[in-house]
Amino acid sequence: EAGVAQSPRYKIIEKRQSVAFWCNPISGHATLYWYQQILGQGPKLLIQFQNNGVVDDSQLPKDRFSAERLKGVDSTLKIQPAKLEDSAVYLCASSEHPPGTSVYNEQFFGPGTRLTVL
Amino acid sequence: QKEVEQNSGPLSVPEGAIASLNCTYSDRGSQSFFWYRQYSGKSPELIMSIYSNGDKEDGRFTAQLNKASQYVSLLIRDSQPSDSATYLCAVTHSGGSNYKLTFGKGTLLTVNP
């Protein structure tokens, strides 16, 4: 079974530029998550999708971050404009069950995109 | 704000010893508990999940859950240098109709040959 795919793996941009990340979840997984992991911290949830609908985006900085999952499969996360504090690893994860249907909802992570904002 | 607390370490153990990693959480209604292993520069990898009080063993790993004390731990027996990594505790709590996963900051484990 193929895992969660993400691209690019690394990105270096200057502040105020824009950047986009792509994620393809495990086949058949209904729920897709984007996390931000700053060095020395645990992952922090940015946004959660069930199929192509947003379940939770309460911690997404909506003035600069946006995300979509148009066909209920792959997803993109965009930052525009980027700030220095956005330097982090952006992790995509997926889980099999729709949110709220099971506590046994193990999440599996992709390799992440390491973003450096100069 | 739901909190998950871990000792950041580093925790250093000799090869062959038992490594004990601890985690406490603030939400008494939490229902699912996970341990992820994260090697430097890599993404988190799920190694254990536990849902009910008591112990759950998988190979050299044992997860222990005590909901009354709001405490979950991970024991690694016969520790190997390849176990050197950051171990993230993650807890699922109910947020309305959704189950959210909150991570601790992780404990860095170093196993010395």
Side-chain angles (χ1 to χ4, degrees), chain B residues 21-55:
Chain B
L21 303 160
N22 304 315
C23 172
T24 60
Y25 57 94
S26 63
D27 182 11
R28 187 168 290 278
S30 297
Q31 298 175 287
S32 309
F33 308 86
F34 305 93
W35 284 99
Y36 285 82
R37 177 176 62 198
Q38 188 170 28
Y39 292 114
S40 180
K42 301 295 185 182
S43 62
E45 174 193 8
L46 180 65
I47 56 171
M48 288 290 284
S49 56
I50 187 166
Y51 306 102
S52 55
N53 280 328
D55 295 359

Side-chain angles (χ1 to χ4, degrees), chain B residues 55-66:
Chain B
D55 295 359
K56 178 182 177 182
E57 185 175 319
D58 184 0
R60 296 186 296 111
F61 298 97
T62 299
Q64 299 175 317
L65 175 62
N66 184 327

Side-chain angles (χ1 to χ4, degrees), chain B residues 6 20 28 37 55 61 66 79 91 94 99:
Chain B
Q6 294 181 256
S20 177
R28 187 168 290 278
R37 177 176 62 198
D55 295 359
F61 298 97
N66 184 327
S79 295
V91 175
S94 178
Y99 293 105

Side-chain angles (χ1 to χ4, degrees), chain A residues 30-42:
Chain A
T31 309
L32 184 148
Y33 312 80
W34 283 103
Y35 288 87
Q36 179 192 59
Q37 187 175 23
I38 293 172
L39 189 64
Q41 304 287 320

